[in-house]
Structures are given as C-alpha cells and as structure tokens.
Amino acid sequence: VMAEEAKKLAAYAAVDNHIQNNQVVGIGSGSTIVYAVDRLSERVRQEKLNIVCVPTSFQARQLILQHCLTLSDLDRHPELDVAIDGADEVDAGLTLIKGGGGCLTQEKIVAGCAKHFIVIADFRKDSKALGQQWKKGVPIEVIPMAYIPVSRAIAKRFGGEAVLRMAVSKAGPVVTDNSNFILDWKFEHSQNWKEVNTAIKMIPGVVETGLFVGMAEKAYFGMEDGSVKTRD
Ligand code: DER
C-alpha cells in the first residue's frame, strides 16, 4: 500500500486499541493524526463515547473542532489518559524525532502529561537508528533572538549544522504556534540521544528539542504489505 494508506492503517489500529469511554485524549499534529481523529470521531458517534480532546497545535485544535469533538486544555485536564501522535522517525529503542511539522513543543508537553503515549506512523518512519530514514535533522525550537548563538553552540559541541527553518508560504523564517523559530540540526553521526537531548535543552534560548527519549510506550507502523507492525 502507499504511505497514506499505511498511515490510516496505523492510526485506526491505535485508536481501536487504546481509546475507550470516559478518556481525556491528547491529539498530536501532522498528517497521520488526521486519520486517527477521523476514526476517533467515528467511534465517538457510533459508540456514544464520552471523550475530551487536548490539542498540540492550532492544526490539532482545528481538527478537534471540525470533527465536533469536545475541546479541552491542560488547565482543565493536566493529566491525560492517552496521547496519540505521529513521528518523523522511530528508532529501535522507541526514541523519536518529531517536529517535522513544527509542533514539537506542545506535542512533547502533552505527551508528557499522558499516562500512555502512542505513536502512529507509516513504514517510512520505521528505523533502526535515527538518521537512517529521516534526513532533515532534529528540529529544535528556539527563542528568535537567540537562534544564531544556539546554532553556533550546537555545531561547536555536537557537530553538524543547525539551520534556521525558512517558511514556504510566508516570507522569512517559520514562526511556531508559540511564536518561536526552529533550527533543524543536521547531525553527522548517531549520538547518545538521552544525553544530547538534555545538553541541548541546557543551551540558553532553546525551548525544546524534537528528540522524544523514553516517552513513547508503543508505536504502530502501517506497512507496505497492508499489515500493521507494533514496537514497544
Ligand atoms: O511535526 C510533528 O511532530 C509531527 O507529529 C510529525 O512528527 C509527524 O508528522 P506526519 O504524521 O505528517 O509524518
């Protein structure tokens, strides 16, 4: 099957396996999550489920509203039962690169508030080591006034190059839902991602990294043969 169908297979399997009545659900961002929200809203209607949704971006908020699902937030629901989200790449140890869609900061916050964080992805994201499939680097959200010193510090300490993400449908840099910039760190070789994630977060001006280490409980991959493979 094509990647889009594979996304749908993963999304439906995850929603059918992890959503039940009376839950608070974190809704991720990107293209794969759209299939999960489709399936979630179908089940809510068919089974008359009582579900409350917390978004991870303006995009996720629109998805929730467009599907007439109940919108909430972390003020009302600081503890979520489950969060479902996509990923740009998943390694053998369930470390993720996220942020391809620029939503990594609120995604990591919501994932961190959930009892269970479930990843949904097509076969292209299924990797042994980060960087094998995903070639755009690790997204890092930074305070705009600091993007140059942060970029220099990352290159100096960890190698590679951290490049400011420029917008396509807007002049100038991408501006995130939190009014920040994004650096895409094109790393040169595999790292101790737990250590690198912590070290990068300590650089003044860094808001969040797209490295999700030890957060995902299970990943669902839609495969090219139409099957669904899981990793936990
Ligand atoms: O930007 C993000 O973090 C997205 O969740 C990304 O990791 C997955 O987006 P996709 O489902 O469109 O591949």
Side-chain angles (χ1 to χ4, degrees):
V1 298
M2 306 298 287
E4 284 308 308
E5 179 61 24
K7 291 178 184 178
K8 182 174 179 179
L9 290 166
Y12 277 52
V15 168
D16 289 351
N17 287 356
H18 292 276
I19 298 296
Q20 56 204 10
N21 203 8
N22 301 318
Q23 278 186 325
V24 181
V25 182
I27 302 294
S29 304
S31 61
T32 309
I33 196 68
V34 174
Y35 297 104
V37 174
D38 285 344
R39 178 60 180 157
L40 176 64
S41 62
E42 195 176 71
R43 286 197 55 197
V44 165
R45 241 172 295 293
Q46 281 171 0
E47 301 167 44
K48 306 220 175 333
L49 299 179
N50 168 35
I51 295 286
V52 166
C53 296
V54 176
T56 55
S57 61
F58 292 132
Q59 180 223 356
R61 177 185 160 90
Q62 287 182 310
L63 276 179
I64 292 163
L65 293 172
Q66 286 158 3
H67 285 77
C68 304
L69 292 164
T70 305
L71 176 69
S72 191
D73 50 38
L74 296 180
D75 305 62
R76 295 178 181 87
H77 297 285
E79 282 186 22
L80 284 62
D81 295 295
V82 57
I84 300 181
D85 201 347
D88 299 307
E89 191 169 31
V90 184
D91 80 1
L94 278 181
T95 296
L96 316 177
I97 289 179
K98 282 180 58 56
C103 304
L104 59 140
T105 295
Q106 292 185 37
E107 288 174 336
K108 196 182 272 190
I109 294 167
V110 167
C113 293
K115 293 183 192 112
H116 307 281
F117 176 43
I118 307 300
V119 173
I120 55 177
D122 63 78
F123 49 84
R124 297 170 304 168
K125 292 38 179 321
D126 175 14
S127 224
K128 292 254 178 311
L130 297 185
Q132 267 183 357
Q133 315 273 13
W134 178 255
K135 301 299 182 187
K136 297 180 184 173
V138 175
I140 297 165
E141 182 154 346
V142 298
I143 299 294
M145 58 87 86
Y147 85 91
I148 296 281
V150 169
S151 176
R152 289 158 58 97
I154 290 171
K156 184 163 183 282
R157 294 188 210 173
F158 307 108
E161 189 187 10
V163 179
L164 181 64
R165 187 182 297 184
M166 301 308 286
V168 175
S169 309
K170 178 187 105 35
V174 164
V175 177
T176 69
D177 294 355
N178 316 302
S179 306
N180 293 316
F181 287 173
I182 290 191
L183 295 173
D184 288 302
W185 173 42
K186 315 277 202 279
F187 56 90
E188 277 168 342
H189 30 257
S190 198
Q191 316 268 341
N192 177 321
W193 296 115
K194 186 172 183 339
E195 286 174 8
V196 163
N197 177 52
T198 304
I200 291 177
K201 281 212 70 173
M202 292 304 289
I203 301 170
V206 171
V207 173
E208 191 53 85
T209 81
L211 290 167
F212 285 46
V213 185
M215 296 186 74
E217 176 181 300
K218 187 168 189 175
Y220 287 77
F221 298 101
M223 304 307 285
E224 286 174 289
D225 65 1
S227 67
V228 174
K229 178 173 91 170
T230 63
R231 181 176 301 151
D232 50 16

